[in-house]
């Protein structure tokens, strides 16, 4: 057979193969003549509403689907949070567990969770007393009492490697004074003992159910546990599945591959702190789903399969364009600002490695700061969708009066830089947030002109864009420019350095690093952008020039902000590069910072506000004068919510709680959601 | 070779800066959990002891081989402590094997047949048009191609689910509905892999066939009036397939790396993502477990191919 016949045979075969299914298809329709039948009126019978049911068997209108931020759960069937680190944001911290105290940075309060109120300390701060909320029950019907807290603390003290074992070494003795009172005798004075371990932001000391974990201890009621009385191996091997809840939901089911975890509302939800404080959570079911990419999240949200999605800014815009039910922080979508400068974790911007020249020179750090145009920075990092924060702490409402306002007064009226002997410059610019809003108006967007609203969401001000002053500061120390306008070090070599981040393109570290690179290259410095998955290892070792990932602790301790500033203590400063630092990664400190932290560490802010205001102001002044970090946009976690099945989400217009799907405060959001009835 | 590969993988991660404990601590801090700086140092020491990292490097090395020979025990995952490494691998392996084995076999078959036809009928306008399409598809980066497939068939024409190995709420069982659900979820990742994989195979096979069909024995067969079908199948394809079989065997050995980008784009629960997490977290035990099995699979598949080669190429006889 020749080639042509071979091909013809092959094509004929394909044609026949294609036609056979068609030939087996339905017969062509032949129109029958119409015969008129008498019309019979049937009584109207209401068809039952066909409810959309998920495969889990949950009615969709009763189910909330939330994106799992930390991706697929590595050990989905293991809920023993105390034995090794666990992903907790698949619902464990959001709906299963209640903390002793829970920070809500949007409400600006410390929510009393398992605690009935704040703790009390004795005169010399060596004894802390916790008062538990009454009427809280585990999901097995057993009441949560002081015995559970005492048991958990004693176990943590005794078992090395158990969660919070190290922190609980401060506890000399712990006992239940009565059914709802726990007394801690500490081996050294510490009025912030409860803050460090029991006040939750994104993790804290969790209480175990004694009735479950008591099985691993020979005598669970012993005054002190010793390691030989504990089945340590069995305790660590225990997967605590199914777990008991002291929160408003219990585990329903989960995927063995870690792709989703489903929770169902407890019938006795009112016997939880959330139920007592905020009422009945509205969704009956909450399911966390691992969706890896923004594309997939947008697709699912457009198809109304994902009610809450963590997204990068371009994806947010795509979601809002494609889905009329989607919203972000600003519910009214007439303007582009999708993100708030209020942020739960901390500030983010440029952190200088002050052990590496020329970043060891404060004038160089200030020069780099003044070389940044705030508007351009906001546009590059987030397309103008966010403000900037110059402070070493976030722009929380509860910081405004005691800490931010005094600082602003100093910045606006007193703070100057000495550029040259006798020549001064005021670097602070309070018009920045308003200019950001004006830039948006130029793009055709409306925005409320309430100054307080603008400041709350776009910051209070930032640094002036003064490249000429920046140049003078550099020239003072022997920096020069070449013929192309590029900066040269005092030794005549080209000034080159890298900005380092370990984050993905949608996270704040990457966005800030990109913006910094653009601004400094514009200024005439050869800056390279370096991205590495090993950042979290390299940064504490000092293997960087400038980083943009967040650093400096998380600002989680309400007015006791000295706890958040702990990394600045000079005792923690590591002076050798290559050795891991446990202090601030800029490797900068000052003896006065240590004195302030030591003094405030023995005081509770609420009882000593005048002193706290005075010393925190001084603390911030020292940091600003020395500028080891130039703060930027904050550690933003953008997202969208879908109003198709559920509405009344927290927003800038209705900021009743933290809107983040991975935060423990999620349980406080659920009673306020409203089902649309679809 | 196996011992060398495993030894290299044992030592290299341990020589990198940092360790899994510090990575874990830094991740915790990055998420906003407060750890008192003074306590962090002590926590790191305690965890290092618990994970057996305080022992000397040689002692750790010996312990590893002892556990391996005792029962293929790679110890607990350091990132997902105390879940055993072998359990994590067992959980992810069926997904990777199911997806990648299927797509490798299909890419092999489709790519080689079409490549062979294209190489043999190189003057056919149909084949030329087909070659043009392949040349267009081949250079598309996998990530872009995968996203295009997802957007086309999960969004614009919402026929298939965008992510996951199974519908939420379903467990993987041997029931017909579960198998169909897995197949439905696997269709888009498989399609993306087959499209781009078979394009590469096609091009390679085409070149091989074009070379083989110029061989003297092929011309002799044509002169000898051997049927064209026979020339194509037994004279050309069979010879051209030999290097492709070797490549296939090597590809089988790489199965253990999973398909990371596929798993990320489609949220598929395979070994690729596990390997990625192991690298990011510097999870020594998980890295070692996956690499050991990968090395074993690779060396085994090469050995098997060496033994099976005489079946494909009668010119080779075992000595």
């Amino acid at each position: 057979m020749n080639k042509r016949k071979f091909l013809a045979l092959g094509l004929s075969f394909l044609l026949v193969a294609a036609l056979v299914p068609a030939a087996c298809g339905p017969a062509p329709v032949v129109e029958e003549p119409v015969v008129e039948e008498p019309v019979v009126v049937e009584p109207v019978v209401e068809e039952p509403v066909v409810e959309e049911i998920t495969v889990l068997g949950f009615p969709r209108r009763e189910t909330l689907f939330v994106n799992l931020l930390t991706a697929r759960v590595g050990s989905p069937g293991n809920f023993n949070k105390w034995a090794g680190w666990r992903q907790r944001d698949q619902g464990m911290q959001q709906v299963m567990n209640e903390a002793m105290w829970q920070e809500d940075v949007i409400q600006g309060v410390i929510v009393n969770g398992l605690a009935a109120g704040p703790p009390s300390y004795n005169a010399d701060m060596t004894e802390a007393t916790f008062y538990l909320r009454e009427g809280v029950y585990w999901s097995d019907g057993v009441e949560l009492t002081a015995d559970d807290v005492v048991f958990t603390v004693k176990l943590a003290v005794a078992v090395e490697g158990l969660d919070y074992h190290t922190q609980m070494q401060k506890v000399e003795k712990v006992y239940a004074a009565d059914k709802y009172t726990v007394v801690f005798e500490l081996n050294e004075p510490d009025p912030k003992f409860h803050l460090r371990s029991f006040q939750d932001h994104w993790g804290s000391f969790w209480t175990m159910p004694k009735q479950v974990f008591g099985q691993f201890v020979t005598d669970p009621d012993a005054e002190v546990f010793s390691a030989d009385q504990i089945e340590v191996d069995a305790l660590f091997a225990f997967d605590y599945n199914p777990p008991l809840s002291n929160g408003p939901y219990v585990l329903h089911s989960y995927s063995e591959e870690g792709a989703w975890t489903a929770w169902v509302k407890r019938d006795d939800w009112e016997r939880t702190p959330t139920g007592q404080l905020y009422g009945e959570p509205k969704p009956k079911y909450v399911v966390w789903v691992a969706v890896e990419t923004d594309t997939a999240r947008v697709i699912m949200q457009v198809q109304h399969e994902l009610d809450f999605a963590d997204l990068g800014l371009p994806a947010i815009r795509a979601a809002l364009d494609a889905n009329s039910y989607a919203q972000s922080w600003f519910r009214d979508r007439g303007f582009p600002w999708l993100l708030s400068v209020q942020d739960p974790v901390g500030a983010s911007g440029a952190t200088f490695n002050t052990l590496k020249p020329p970043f060891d020179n404060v004038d160089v750090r200030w020069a780099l700061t003044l070389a940044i145009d705030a508007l351009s920075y906001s546009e590059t990092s987030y397309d103008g969708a966010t403000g900037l924060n110059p402070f070493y702490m976030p722009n929380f409402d509860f910081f405004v009066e005691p800490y931010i306002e005094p600082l602003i007064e100093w910045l606006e009226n007193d703070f100057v830089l000495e550029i040259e002997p006798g020549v001064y410059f005021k670097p602070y610019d309070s018009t920045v947030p308003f200019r950001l809003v004006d830039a948006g108006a130029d793009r055709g967007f409306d925005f409320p002109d309430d100054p307080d609203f603008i400041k709350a969401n776009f910051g209070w001000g930032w640094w002036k864009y003064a490249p000429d002053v920046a140049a003078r500061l550099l020239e003072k120390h022997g920096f020069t420019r070449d013929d192309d306008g590029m900066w040269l070090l005092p030794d005549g070599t080209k000034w080159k350095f890298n900005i380092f981040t370990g984050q993905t393109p949608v996270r704040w570290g990457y966005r800030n690093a990109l913006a910094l690179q653009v601004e400094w290259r514009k200024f005439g410095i050869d800056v390279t952008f370096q991205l590495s998955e090993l950042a979290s290892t390299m940064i504490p070792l000092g293997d960087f020039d400038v980083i943009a990932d967040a650093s400096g602790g998380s600002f989680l301790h309400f007015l006791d902000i000295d706890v958040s500033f702990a990394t600045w203590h000079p005792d923690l400063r590591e002076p050798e590069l290559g050795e891991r630092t446990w202090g601030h990664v800029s490797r900068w400190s000052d003896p006065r910072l240590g004195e302030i932290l030591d003094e405030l560490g023995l005081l509770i802010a609420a009882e000593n506000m005048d002193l706290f205001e005075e010393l925190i102001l001084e603390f911030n002044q020292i940091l600003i004068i020395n500028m080891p970090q130039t703060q930027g946009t904050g550690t933003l976690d953008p997202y969208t919510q879908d109003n198709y099945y559920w509405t009344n989400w927290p927003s800038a217009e209705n900021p009743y709680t933290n809107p983040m799907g991975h935060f423990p405060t999620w349980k406080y959001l659920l009673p306020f959601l409203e089902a649309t009835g679809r | 070779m196996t011992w060398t590969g495993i030894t290299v993988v044992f030592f290299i991660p341990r020589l990198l800066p940092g360790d899994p404990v510090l990575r874990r601590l830094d991740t915790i801090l990055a998420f906003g959990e407060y750890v008192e700086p003074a306590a962090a140092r002590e926590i790191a020491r305690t965890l290092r002891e618990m994970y057996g990292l305080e022992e000397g490097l040689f002692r750790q090395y010996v312990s590893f081989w002892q556990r391996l020979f005792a029962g293929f025990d790679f110890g607990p995952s350091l990132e997902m402590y105390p879940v055993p490494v072998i359990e994590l691998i067992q959980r992810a392996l069926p997904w990777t094997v199911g997806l990648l084995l299927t797509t490798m076999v299909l890419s092999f078959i489709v790519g080689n047949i079409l490549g062979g036809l294209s190489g043999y009928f190189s003057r056919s306008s149909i084949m030329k048009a087909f070659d043009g399409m392949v040349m267009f598809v081949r250079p598309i980066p996998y990530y872009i191609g995968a996203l295009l497939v997802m957007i086309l068939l999960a969004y614009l024409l919402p026929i298939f689910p965008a992510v996951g190995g199974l519908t939420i709420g379903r467990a993987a069982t041997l029931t017909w509905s579960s198998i169909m659900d897995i197949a439905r979820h696997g269709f888009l990742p498989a399609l993306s892999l087959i499209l781009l994989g078979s394009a590469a195979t096609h091009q390679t096979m085409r070149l091989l066939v074009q070379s083989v069909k110029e061989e003297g024995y092929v011309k002799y067969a044509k002169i000898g009036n051997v049927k064209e079908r026979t020339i194509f199948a037994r004279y050309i394809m069979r010879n051209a397939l030999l290097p492709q079989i070797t490549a296939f065997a090597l590809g089988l050995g790489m199965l253990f790396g999973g398909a990371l980008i596929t798993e990320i784009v489609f949220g598929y629960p395979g070994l690729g993502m596990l390997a990625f997490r192991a690298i990011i977290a510097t999870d020594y035990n998980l890295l070692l477990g996956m690499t050991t099995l990968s090395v074993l699979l690779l060396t085994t598949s090469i050995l098997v191919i060496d033994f099976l080669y005489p079946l494909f190429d009668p010119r080779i006889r075992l000595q």
Side-chain angles (χ1 to χ4, degrees), chain A residues 94-233:
Chain A
Q94 295 99 314
V95 295
M96 182 190 106
N97 181 75
E98 297 267 7
M100 195 65 67
W101 292 279
Q102 180 63 55
E103 297 182 4
D104 188 322
V105 296
I106 301 297
Q107 288 191 68
V109 298
I110 308 296
V111 177
N112 295 315
L114 295 180
S120 64
Y121 285 80
N122 64 352
D124 65 359
M125 305 296 181
T126 56
E127 189 176 283
T129 304
F130 293 4
Y131 308 94
L132 298 187
R133 181 183 292 275
E134 295 180 25
V136 176
Y137 286 75
W138 295 99
S139 51
D140 63 352
V142 175
E143 190 178 10
L144 193 153
T145 67
D147 279 350
D148 294 297
V149 180
V150 169
F151 171 84
T152 314
V153 173
K154 285 193 290 189
L155 201 60
V157 170
V159 180
E160 208 168 279
L162 208 64
D163 201 25
Y164 282 82
H165 163 77
T166 302
Q167 293 92 321
M168 290 300 114
Q169 297 312 300
K170 286 189 177 182
V171 178
E172 189 72 43
K173 185 180 172 185
V174 60
Y175 59 91
D178 58 43
K179 197 175 178 190
Y180 303 109
T181 307
V182 181
V183 179
F184 297 82
E185 290 179 10
L186 308 175
N187 50 32
E188 61 181 25
D190 186 3
K192 300 187 201 285
F193 166 72
H194 69 288
L195 292 177
R196 296 184 218 284
S197 300
F198 293 90
Q199 187 160 302
D200 198 319
H201 174 84
W202 214 90
S204 67
F205 185 92
W206 288 15
T207 302
M208 289 172 171
K210 182 181 173 188
Q211 68 272 29
V212 173
F213 285 85
Q215 63 179 295
F216 301 107
V217 185
T218 311
D219 179 8
D221 294 313
E223 195 173 304
V224 173
F225 293 166
S226 60
D228 58 351
Q229 296 171 322
I230 301 168
E231 296 172 41
V232 175
D233 290 343

Side-chain angles (χ1 to χ4, degrees), chain A residues 1-4 6-7 9 11 55-56 65 69-76 78 81 83-88 160-167 170 190 195-196 201-204 236-237 256-257 260 287 289-293 295-296 299-300 302-303 322 345 507-508 533-534 536-538 540-541 554 556-557 563-564 566-567 571-572 580 582-583 662-663, chain B residues 16-19 22-51 79-83 88 91 95 117 120-121 123-124 126-127 143 147 150-151 154-155 158 162-172 227-229 232 263-270 273 276-277 279-280 282:
Chain A
M1 185 190 298
N2 64 20
K3 177 179 67 176
R4 192 169 295 165
F6 186 80
L7 267 179
L9 185 65
L11 284 171
V55 179
L56 282 156
F65 286 96
L69 178 69
T70 53
R72 195 173 292 275
V73 182
S75 48
N78 193 315
K81 183 259 186 192
W85 188 82
R86 297 274 169 272
Q87 268 169 280
R88 301 188 300 271
E160 208 168 279
L162 208 64
D163 201 25
Y164 282 82
H165 163 77
T166 302
Q167 293 92 321
K170 286 189 177 182
D190 186 3
L195 292 177
R196 296 184 218 284
H201 174 84
W202 214 90
S204 67
F236 276 92
E256 287 291 343
E257 294 75 33
W260 53 268
V287 184
V289 184
V291 187
E292 312 285 354
T293 63
T295 306
I299 289 173
M300 287 180 71
V302 168
Q303 293 170 346
V345 178
R507 303 308 296 282
W508 62 80
E533 295 287 358
L534 293 175
S536 65
T537 299
M538 294 167 67
L541 294 174
S554 40
L556 323 171
H557 302 90
V563 178
S564 306
T567 54
D571 289 351
L572 296 172
R580 198 208 193 276
W582 299 97
H662 54 286
F663 266 78
Chain B
L16 290 172
D19 64 36
L22 294 178
R23 293 294 294 257
R24 170 53 57 217
L25 260 177
D26 291 331
T27 305
I28 291 170
L29 293 170
F31 272 116
E33 181 167 355
Y34 181 76
V35 177
E36 205 176 346
R41 196 183 339 225
E42 183 56 26
I43 292 170
R45 187 201 64 76
T46 306
L47 288 177
R48 215 175 272 119
E49 212 172 275
M50 199 165 79
Y51 294 166
E79 201 217 348
M80 290 163 269
Y81 189 86
V83 182
L88 291 170
R91 199 187 296 157
W95 296 97
L117 286 170
Y120 189 70
F121 300 110
R123 294 203 182 103
S124 155
I126 296 173
M127 284 301 154
Y143 183 81
L147 282 176
M150 180 194 284
I151 291 168
Y155 178 59
V163 294
L166 278 168
T167 303
I168 295 172
R170 224 188 254 283
K227 291 182 184 173
E228 187 159 32
R229 190 183 310 149
F232 177 73
E263 291 172 24
I264 289 175
V265 172
F266 295 103
Y268 212 72
M273 201 60 191
F276 179 68
R277 289 177 78 149
I279 294 166
I280 297 303
T282 328

